[in-house]
Amino acid sequence: MTRHFLANDDLSAAEQARALDLAAELAADPYAYRPFDGPRSVAIISDKPTLRTQLSFQVGIADLGGNAVMVDGNLAGIGTRESIPDSARVLGRQVAQIVWRTGAHERIEELATHAGVPVINALTDAHHPCQVLADLLTLAQHRGDGSAASLRGIRMTYLGDGGNNMAHSYALACALAGMRLAIAAPEGYHPDPDILVRAQAIAAETGGAVSVTDEPGAHGADAVVTDTWLSMGQDGAEERARVFSPYAVTAELMAQAPDAVALHCLPAYRGKEIAAEVLDGPRSLVWDEAANRRPAQKAIMIMLDEWAGEQ
């Protein structure tokens, strides 16, 4: 059966650990694996604006010996001009894997059902698994010994919109890694209950923990993370700024966790969800996060290709 990476819990705890260790190897030696030599092609479809996603996948596919084919999702009209199943069958006959950055998560699930080749989620409204895999690699490098095993027990605090794709992906990935995640978000912006239950069930097996609170704060955290208060396609900027302002990652909040590093997936808005002195300060790992998109995604592409070859 063809496997996909649509959400972090598409991997088991052991598989995520292998992906992170492989990513660390690829960060040190970018050209160690060439599964797409030929070259074989991978389609990168973007329905939304993109910089890090397109760049890191495009360069990463070249590193793996492959050919990246850029597809403008709005011109292709997947699910509008042509049905998602029909588009999936056409794409699957041309490329070895499909990377899609889109909106509703159900769209990528439908594409994966019909593509016949591995599909990778490069962002949906519900999940952003590649970004969070890169973030865990970054934490392993800076707060551990570089290995996935060293993530176990690390305490992360996420502040802001607990119901967005980043919070959901942190909940699942941190649980798989045996980390202890606290999501601080206002009432009405808590994680999807089904995802939270799934994350807490995983954490119970790995020795991690996932909790949710309305209280902003970062006491005891090893890592503090936030995301933009207004994701692509959302309305109500003024109201969201009012609701989320107590959850901003400021220097005062970082003082509650003097040894913590700061993470942000970018794009960041200085003076809103994160202060400039934090984002640009010595404890910020945001540029390493951006760089680590490439090895993390390459690890996923290698593993999916291996599994596809075992059919």
Side-chain angles (χ1 to χ4, degrees), residues 135-213:
D135 292 357
L136 294 197
L137 171 62
T138 306
L139 271 182
Q141 292 169 332
H142 289 270
R143 295 309 308 252
D145 62 8
S147 71
S150 64
L151 289 169
R152 184 177 299 277
I154 285 181
R155 296 160 297 178
M156 173 185 282
T157 297
Y158 174 95
L159 296 109
D161 186 352
N164 74 7
N165 50 13
M166 287 299 294
H168 290 160
S169 291
Y170 278 124
L172 294 169
C174 291
L176 287 166
M179 294 171 57
R180 305 185 70 81
L181 172 70
I183 296 174
E187 185 67 35
Y189 295 92
H190 286 185
D192 179 288
D194 290 341
I195 293 174
L196 181 60
V197 166
R198 173 64 179 151
Q200 290 175 331
I202 294 170
E205 296 175 356
T206 62
V210 178
S211 60
V212 181
T213 178

Side-chain angles (χ1 to χ4, degrees), residues 42-283:
V42 175
I44 306 171
I45 310 167
S46 294
D47 297 349
K48 294 188 171 188
T50 175
L51 171 62
R52 283 157 296 282
T53 294
Q54 176 177 325
L55 185 65
S56 56
F57 268 109
Q58 199 163 4
V59 176
I61 291 163
D63 289 350
L64 297 176
N67 174 51
V69 180
M70 300 306 305
V71 179
D72 184 326
N74 296 310
L75 284 177
I78 299 173
T80 53
R81 188 177 67 88
E82 188 170 24
S83 75
I84 290 176
D86 286 358
S87 299
R89 295 182 186 106
V90 170
L91 287 159
R93 296 294 185 96
Q94 299 287 348
V95 298
Q97 295 184 9
I98 301 168
V99 177
W100 197 11
R101 181 177 176 86
T102 188
H105 192 72
E106 293 74 16
R107 285 167 57 78
I108 201 167
E109 290 179 327
E110 187 173 11
L111 185 90
T113 298
H114 299 279
V117 298
V119 174
I120 298 173
N121 180 358
L123 180 142
T124 63
D125 293 343
H127 295 277
H128 199 358
C130 293
Q131 176 67 60
V132 168
L133 202 63
D135 292 357
L136 294 197
L137 171 62
T138 306
L139 271 182
Q141 292 169 332
H142 289 270
R143 295 309 308 252
D145 62 8
S147 71
S150 64
L151 289 169
R152 184 177 299 277
I154 285 181
R155 296 160 297 178
M156 173 185 282
T157 297
Y158 174 95
L159 296 109
D161 186 352
N164 74 7
N165 50 13
M166 287 299 294
H168 290 160
S169 291
Y170 278 124
L172 294 169
C174 291
L176 287 166
M179 294 171 57
R180 305 185 70 81
L181 172 70
I183 296 174
E187 185 67 35
Y189 295 92
H190 286 185
D192 179 288
D194 290 341
I195 293 174
L196 181 60
V197 166
R198 173 64 179 151
Q200 290 175 331
I202 294 170
E205 296 175 356
T206 62
V210 178
S211 60
V212 181
T213 178
D214 298 344
E215 294 297 321
H219 293 285
D222 300 305
V224 176
V225 59
T226 189
D227 188 16
T228 177
W229 292 336
L230 191 71
S231 296
M232 290 174 287
Q234 290 180 323
D235 298 321
E238 190 172 325
E239 171 62 12
R240 292 177 71 86
R242 184 189 67 78
V243 170
F244 290 123
S245 60
Y247 299 83
V249 176
T250 61
E252 290 74 21
L253 183 129
M254 292 297 292
Q256 298 175 5
D259 296 326
V261 295
L263 300 173
H264 192 303
C265 65
L266 301 174
Y269 299 93
R270 292 168 174 82
K272 293 186 176 178
E273 76 273 7
I274 190 166
E277 60 192 309
V278 177
L279 186 76
D280 301 319
R283 291 196 274 163

Side-chain angles (χ1 to χ4, degrees), residues 1 10 14 23 30 37 79 132-133 227 237 288 296:
M1 182 178 178
D10 283 337
D37 256 342
V132 168
L133 202 63
D227 188 16
D288 286 351

